[in-house]
DNA sequence: AAATATTTTTAGATTAACCTAAAAATAATA
DNA sequence: TATTATTTTTAGGTTAATCTAAAAATATTT
């Protein structure tokens, strides 16, 4: 009898640290990993603060602390009290897979279902939590294994690597230079609705005609046709492939 | 001051009974409505019992009672203690919309992503909870507004109506008669994997060659080519359009 | 109709994910 | 460096959705 209990105790270490076929995370937990990914890897910061995560997710800081403790127990993040947080390899893997799913679904929504690029974010936010590797792979195949989503953001590949390109913000161009709009620095709804309205999108050719040093705005020519003014804020948000 | 409070009290009735632009339900609540729909409308029963719902959803009966109280408060179901439950119009609307979404996604998965018909149920179960009317409508359009899903089940239309057909179970056919497999009485995974294995699917022609009254099994000819034996259980599950 | 069996509900707990308010730790400033 | 401000954590509470065990209601059988 005593032997039996001892046997049991010796083997009572944490199982999930050995068997990690597939950890089951709630959509909420996945969203935390995504937020941390965005604040660290994508923004190239060493670590994310509790407050930054709270702001990113629009929840109270106390809730974040709570969840960080739990994600830390699951070995998905590296977290020390008061010291900020970053992803461990296992957490990064899950986060990139989520970004991959999100951007593939956005591609599907725009290319196949003909949604506008400013309409797809919230829907993809839900679709990305559907759990099926087979689904993602077949979707990828069906869409022709795209490398960039409708906003020009890179779509992480199945192996976790992320396609890159050399892009230049429109604001860095000199008079006479031109390029093709290929990505955005960031994409708040307001910017995307604005670009849609003035008919600028991924693939649009933009040439700098004139620079106004008073407010850093510029006059540009769109697709060799229309002329227009772009503010500093907009020109800094547009990433071009130089032609 | 007193007046002000009185004014407030007079207007403090339940708001959700007036403003029902779009009630926000959790996936869990949606699943209860779907289960009740399946047990009443689809099975043509007057009402569903607590135990039946619990069995359908694989949860404890006590949990069901709890939820029935809450769905009843939201005016989605008609529920009296110990008397069983059925959907109110508002609940039925939500349930049919869910079935519509589920079956459209199944159609997408099979027709576009080339999944087998026995692989799509669980994935569609998640996809059906993605909340966007625009998405469903565009998906419907993209798929060519299909009326039946890959299992032959009717896809409810946007207006809530459900396409119908006159189908006959294979078990009711006499020797010599034949038809095209057009639907299934029910579709447990086991049946679908079996049918896949023996190469029978929607559209397959089946002709009765011989009836064996010992066990109610039958010999049939498949697509005018292959002969095989089908058990009573299988022949009762296959719904044909008589040719 | 009484006894027994079954179904359903109630009571009381648990867990995840949030919250607010207060306390503690860290960072910034005088 | 002492004080003040900010950030983060802790403490304690809430709600949704589940559970088990016990009680109550309904149904079935003798």
């Amino acid at each position: 009898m005593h032997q039996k209990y001892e046997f049991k105790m010796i083997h009572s270490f944490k199982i999930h640290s050995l068997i990690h076929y597939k950890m089951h995370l709630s959509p909420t937990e996945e969203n935390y990993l995504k937020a941390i990914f965005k604040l660290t890897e994508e923004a190239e910061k060493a670590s994310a603060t509790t407050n930054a995560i709270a702001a990113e997710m629009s929840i109270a800081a106390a809730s974040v602390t709570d969840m960080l403790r739990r994600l830390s127990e699951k070995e998905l993040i590296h977290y020390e009290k008061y010291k900020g947080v970053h992803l461990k390899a296992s957490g990064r893997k899950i986060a990139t897979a989520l970004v991959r799913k999100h951007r593939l679904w956005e591609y599907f929504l725009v290319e196949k279902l003909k949604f506008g690029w400013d309409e797809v974010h919230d829907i993809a936010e839900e679709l990305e939590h559907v759990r099926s590797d087979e689904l993602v792979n077949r979707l990828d195949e069906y869409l022709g294994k795209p490398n960039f989503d409708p906003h020009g953001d890179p779509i992480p590949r199945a192996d976790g690597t992320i396609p890159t390109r050399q892009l230049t913000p429109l604001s860095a161009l000199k008079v006479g230079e031109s390029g093709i709009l290929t990505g955005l620095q960031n994409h708040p709804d307001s910017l995307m609705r604005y670009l849609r309205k003035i008919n600028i999108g991924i693939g649009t050719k933009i040439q700098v005609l004139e620079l106004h040093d008073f407010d850093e705005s510029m006059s540009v020519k769109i697709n060799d046709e229309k002329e227009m003014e772009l503010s500093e804020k907009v020109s800094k948000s547009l990433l071009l492939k130089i032609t």
Side-chain angles (χ1 to χ4, degrees), chain A:
Chain A
M1 206 51 171
H2 185 268
Q3 290 287 352
K4 202 175 167 188
Y5 277 108
E6 199 167 346
F7 175 85
K8 196 180 169 190
M9 287 202 51
I10 289 168
H11 289 75
S12 73
F13 45 75
K14 280 184 194 164
I15 287 176
H16 70 247
S17 61
L18 285 185
I19 302 172
H20 42 66
Y21 297 102
K22 202 83 198 185
M23 199 180 306
H24 181 91
L25 297 185
S26 69
T28 307
E29 291 172 308
E30 292 186 335
N31 284 336
Y32 276 90
L33 293 181
K34 230 181 24 146
I36 298 166
F37 180 83
K38 187 170 175 184
L39 294 169
T40 55
E41 323 266 318
E42 284 194 344
E44 290 172 38
K45 294 268 164 55
S47 73
T49 64
T50 302
N51 262 2
I53 298 168
E56 172 70 28
M57 301 183 70
S58 307
I59 57 178
S63 311
V64 175
T65 303
D66 230 52
M67 183 59 95
L68 292 185
R69 197 184 34 67
R70 276 180 283 151
L71 292 176
S72 189
E73 266 167 25
K74 292 186 176 179
E75 300 280 311
L76 295 167
I77 61 174
H78 190 270
Y79 168 59
E80 277 179 282
K81 283 202 270 191
Y82 299 104
K83 295 277 171 63
V85 64
H86 63 264
L87 297 174
K88 288 193 173 181
S90 52
R92 183 181 308 112
K93 199 171 156 191
I94 295 171
T96 36
L98 282 167
V99 173
R100 171 171 161 79
K101 286 197 273 182
H102 183 100
R103 293 181 181 165
L104 280 173
W105 278 118
E106 286 202 340
Y107 192 96
F108 169 75
L109 293 171
V110 170
E111 293 302 318
K112 301 292 186 180
L113 299 195
K114 307 300 174 193
F115 275 96
W117 72 343
D118 54 337
E119 303 172 319
V120 295
H121 186 271
D122 291 353
I123 300 176
E125 204 70 21
E126 294 195 49
L127 286 166
E128 76 191 4
H129 296 293
V130 174
R131 246 176 287 274
S132 164
D133 289 342
E134 188 63 15
L135 173 61
V136 191
N137 293 337
R138 282 176 189 259
L139 183 64
D140 188 34
E141 194 78 44
Y142 181 62
L143 299 175
K145 296 186 175 290
N147 280 313
F148 299 94
D149 80 7
H151 311 104
D153 292 326
I155 300 175
R157 295 181 256 258
D159 64 8
T161 60
I162 301 176
T164 55
R165 299 151 306 178
Q166 195 52 55
L167 298 182
T168 313
L170 173 59
S171 57
L173 266 62
K174 297 186 179 63
V175 170
E177 295 183 326
S178 70
I180 303 295
L181 180 62
T182 310
L184 300 175
Q185 197 71 62
N186 45 51
H187 13 50
D189 277 8
S190 50
L191 172 63
M192 299 209 303
R193 276 196 301 274
Y194 172 63
L195 292 178
R196 184 182 220 193
K197 184 154 189 184
I198 63 179
N199 226 29
I200 288 181
I202 298 295
T204 301
K205 181 182 172 187
I206 305 178
Q207 181 177 28
V208 179
L209 297 179
E210 222 175 310
L211 293 168
H212 313 300
D213 62 349
F214 170 64
D215 63 351
E216 308 289 329
S217 72
M218 54 171 65
S219 306
V220 296
K221 180 159 257 181
I222 303 299
N223 283 331
D224 298 319
E225 293 168 0
K226 204 170 36 178
E227 282 183 29
M228 57 169 43
E229 298 296 308
L230 294 178
S231 72
E232 182 194 16
K233 196 157 178 201
V234 168
S235 71
K236 278 185 167 169
S237 295
L238 304 183
L239 303 178
L240 308 190
K241 182 179 284 177
I242 305 303
T243 50

